[in-house]
Amino acid sequence: MSGRLAAELGGMIENLPQAPGPIASASLAQVAEHVAKGFGVGPDEVAILVLIEQGKFTGARHASVFEGVPLGRRRGELIHKIMSAPMVAEGKILGVVQISRKGRTPTDAGPDFTTKELHELTSITGVLGRFIKLCEES
């Protein structure tokens, strides 16, 4: 998967229609769904949190409150595993991308994230940062 997901996202982002205004939420949801597929997790296990001002985020997925809305999952499924990486563009931190694994128990949630998966996550943060910048500029 190394590098492939970043290349796919780059191509996808170039072809997304850019709606005017701050973060185009439909496009952000599409990107989050593609990231979920790349990591083999559900769409509700990906969060793209965009810094809108110092200390305040907006986002897509994770139902805006991590455990507040189950989004089609069974009651009692919680986040048991999570990895995060900052999204940076032009030397500025624009937000954070998070991948989680949910389940009733840690075993049910699936395997722990690997170093390879963390490297893959960090490899897509530049592409995601460019996408956020494009959305802010539109």
Side-chain angles (χ1 to χ4, degrees), residues 61-83:
R61 299 291 179 220
H62 276 333
S64 77
V65 176
F66 289 113
E67 303 302 334
V69 179
L71 290 177
R73 293 195 177 261
R74 298 178 313 230
R75 198 176 247 325
E77 288 191 334
L78 304 172
I79 294 172
H80 287 282
K81 298 156 190 222
I82 192 166
M83 64 177 175

Side-chain angles (χ1 to χ4, degrees), residues 7 10 60 63-64 78 112 121 123:
S64 77
L78 304 172
D112 290 344
L121 180 61
S123 78

Side-chain angles (χ1 to χ4, degrees), residues 115-136:
T115 302
K116 182 178 178 183
E117 288 171 313
L118 182 58
H119 286 291
E120 187 68 23
L121 180 61
T122 59
S123 78
I124 67 171
T125 60
V127 174
L128 294 175
R130 287 194 306 276
F131 170 64
I132 299 305
K133 282 296 270 186
L134 285 172
C135 289
E136 288 175 344

Side-chain angles (χ1 to χ4, degrees), residues 7-90:
E8 288 174 2
L9 282 170
M12 179 182 177
I13 288 166
E14 286 179 22
N15 294 317
L16 284 175
Q18 298 300 317
I23 310 305
S25 54
S27 297
L28 190 56
Q30 281 183 285
V31 169
E33 288 172 12
H34 196 77
V35 171
K37 184 179 174 187
F39 283 94
V41 299
D44 66 325
E45 294 175 305
V46 172
I48 297 174
L49 306 168
V50 179
L51 189 63
I52 53 174
E53 61 181 79
Q54 190 62 35
K56 294 183 182 176
F57 289 91
T58 186
R61 299 291 179 220
H62 276 333
S64 77
V65 176
F66 289 113
E67 303 302 334
V69 179
L71 290 177
R73 293 195 177 261
R74 298 178 313 230
R75 198 176 247 325
E77 288 191 334
L78 304 172
I79 294 172
H80 287 282
K81 298 156 190 222
I82 192 166
M83 64 177 175
S84 305
M87 296 181 297
V88 179
E90 299 172 7

Side-chain angles (χ1 to χ4, degrees), residues 100-115:
S100 66
R101 291 198 172 118
K102 296 179 180 181
R104 290 184 178 272
T105 66
T107 302
D108 184 42
D112 290 344
F113 288 106
T114 64
T115 302

